[in-house]
Amino acid sequence: MVRIRLFETEAGKLMEAGKLPGFLHLYVGQEAVAAGVMAALRDEDQITSTHRGHGHAVAKGVGFREMYAELYGRVTGACLGRGGSMHINDLTRGMLGANGIVGAGVPIAVGAAFAARYRGEDSVAVTFFGDGATNIGAFHEGANMAAILGLPVVFVCENNGYAEFTPQSGHMLLTDVADRAAAYGMPSVIVDGMDAVAVHRAATDAVARARSGAGPMMIEAKTYRYFDHQGVKGLRHPYRSDEEVAEWKARDPIDLIEARAVADGTATRADLDDVWRRTRDEIAEAIAYAEASPLPDPADLLLNVYSG
């Protein structure tokens, strides 16, 4: 969670300084979801992500060097500098990609689960998406197919309350997105998305269920993003109040888990401070690596470009 928080915080600073091209959708505030879910997975399990995908990539094990280099558009990036912020992937770590198209990761995860079943493997696919994505046809088609075929997929809705700038109440009549799972005969659970332990427990159960052959399940994690939809300052469109943001920040997921760790003796404050220090050092080194890396060669412009 600290790795995600610091990666995103520094990425936001770099964008504000004009050093990163393109768009940047920051995951700050939602760290407990990615961390809680990924800690329940094996290395061979696969995930699909969203336009807000840095947190998922970090939690799945994609390196800081490769990620920052990708944000800079450098050839040493995870996608050779061709994907940028919204399309980071690392197939060697089971990260099938962030995606700029809302809901597009759902059928990809369903396909990955189908492939695993076909090959006789016991890996699980997890797809992350927001509340707004459950209004998209790809979500419904993917959920329906996964349920009918009993595929090993875990659907994780990161409900941060807003589809870009539209509150959930403005784009659906449901209070709980998890209710939609019942339409496909799929069980679901609602968890506090600011509590990494609660997310992990739910994910552990859902992943074990999928791996055992019992079929898909949906987790709705109610969480919150601290920054605007895009970037740090965004469009400065007043669609949510400062009071609302402050209320959610008062339940910061990292603060909560650190307080729990100290209280139950899992770690000391010095241990936790050391995690922050070591992570900051690693990030500083990764940014320096990215800035020193070369830009892609224009001669390779058509590399991996195909036409039908």
Side-chain angles (χ1 to χ4, degrees), residues 31-225:
E31 294 90 350
V33 185
V37 172
M38 245 61 81
L41 300 181
R42 299 175 183 170
D43 289 345
E44 64 268 23
D45 293 331
Q46 298 175 303
I47 68 167
T48 62
S49 183
T50 71
H51 54 278
R52 201 175 308 284
H54 305 158
H56 304 137
V58 170
K60 197 64 172 70
V62 184
F64 282 162
R65 280 186 166 196
E66 296 90 336
M67 289 189 64
Y68 275 118
E70 190 61 36
L71 295 187
Y72 271 90
R74 304 305 170 95
V75 74
T76 55
C79 304
L80 307 181
R82 295 168 174 267
S85 170
M86 285 194 285
H87 301 96
I88 288 179
N89 71 67
D90 188 337
L91 303 187
T92 66
R93 293 175 171 84
M95 168 54 168
L96 301 185
N99 206 309
I101 301 175
V102 173
V106 175
I108 296 174
V110 172
F114 180 86
R117 170 75 61 78
Y118 186 81
R119 293 192 295 258
E121 301 168 352
D122 71 342
S123 63
V124 169
V126 177
T127 179
F128 293 89
F129 50 90
D131 51 302
T134 66
N135 296 324
I136 302 297
F139 164 78
H140 297 283
E141 293 172 6
N144 190 51
M145 178 174 286
I148 288 174
L149 298 179
L151 297 177
V153 187
V154 178
F155 293 78
V156 180
C157 177
E158 297 185 278
N159 187 353
N160 60 26
Y162 292 89
E164 292 192 357
F165 311 106
T166 305
Q168 182 184 334
S169 61
H171 65 79
M172 68 173 69
L173 295 180
L174 296 175
T175 299
D176 299 318
V177 177
D179 289 348
R180 290 190 155 166
Y184 305 104
M186 187 191 307
S188 63
V189 63
I190 300 170
V191 297
D192 179 359
M194 307 302 272
D195 183 342
V197 175
V199 173
H200 179 61
R201 287 171 176 164
T204 298
D205 291 344
V207 169
R209 182 180 186 279
R211 205 182 304 279
S212 72
M217 183 173 177
M218 181 172 171
I219 299 171
E220 179 186 0
K222 294 185 185 290
T223 184
Y224 201 77
R225 55 174 163 82

Side-chain angles (χ1 to χ4, degrees), residues 232-246:
V232 176
K233 299 176 183 176
L235 300 176
R236 304 191 183 187
H237 176 62
Y239 62 96
R240 55 184 190 175
S241 68
D242 292 341
E243 292 76 16
E244 177 182 300
V245 176

Side-chain angles (χ1 to χ4, degrees), residues 269-292:
R269 183 66 253 176
D271 294 332
L272 300 174
D273 290 342
D274 188 57
V275 170
W276 288 88
R277 179 190 58 77
R278 287 186 287 106
T279 305
R280 286 192 178 95
D281 289 345
E282 187 180 348
I283 284 177
E285 189 279 330
I287 292 174
Y289 169 83
E291 291 181 340

